[in-house]
Amino acid sequence: MSELETYYADLIGAVGRQDLASIQGLIDPSFVIHYDTSLPFGGVYYGVEGFFDFLGQLTGHLEDLKTEQLNYMEDANGEQYTLIIKLTARVAATGQQIETQVSELWTVRDGKAVEARAWYWGAAAIEWGTSAV
């Protein structure tokens, strides 16, 4: 397993366990994550606090969230990886059951994420409704 694959496994494991201290150790203070602004949790989030804010927004809008990794690739210089994830969930505001694919691009330096970008395929077709979050 490469260093980036190990990083990804560590981050996913820490998020799944809600291990805030481990997550904090994997996210650079200058971290920035970009989500399409058409999503109810879209926008740009900064730093460790921004990562936690994003996670709160995501789980506030999507319930019973499950993911399955479909593809993983990394660049030769060992700083970026990209993956495609199958995401299934229920939209909290509407009850709509969804299945979509998410493409993510992560940049990791010195064992910490410095940037991430995510795209939800077919997001415009999802009935997001109005959320109380």
Side-chain angles (χ1 to χ4, degrees), residues 41-111:
F41 47 87
V44 181
Y45 299 85
Y46 297 95
V48 175
E49 295 79 17
F51 186 77
F52 289 135
D53 184 27
F54 157 72
L55 287 176
Q57 292 287 326
L58 178 71
T59 58
H61 287 283
L62 297 176
E63 299 174 336
D64 302 324
L65 187 117
K66 293 178 182 56
T67 61
E68 175 188 346
Q69 180 181 318
L70 300 177
N71 194 357
Y72 173 92
M73 295 183 300
E74 60 185 59
D75 68 355
N77 72 12
E79 284 193 346
Q80 290 186 310
Y81 66 88
T82 184
L83 37 102
I84 298 173
I85 299 166
K86 177 177 141 184
L87 181 145
T88 56
R90 188 176 68 252
V91 178
T94 65
Q96 179 188 14
Q97 198 66 31
I98 62 167
E99 180 178 302
T100 187
Q101 292 184 2
V102 181
S103 179
E104 295 183 359
L105 173 63
W106 287 74
T107 303
V108 178
R109 291 191 188 107
D110 299 321

Side-chain angles (χ1 to χ4, degrees), residues 18-38:
Q18 298 180 354
D19 181 348
L20 303 182
S22 292
I23 294 168
Q24 204 163 19
L26 294 167
I27 303 294
D28 192 84
S30 67
F31 177 74
V32 60
I33 189 168
H34 307 265
Y35 270 82
D36 185 324
T37 56
S38 69

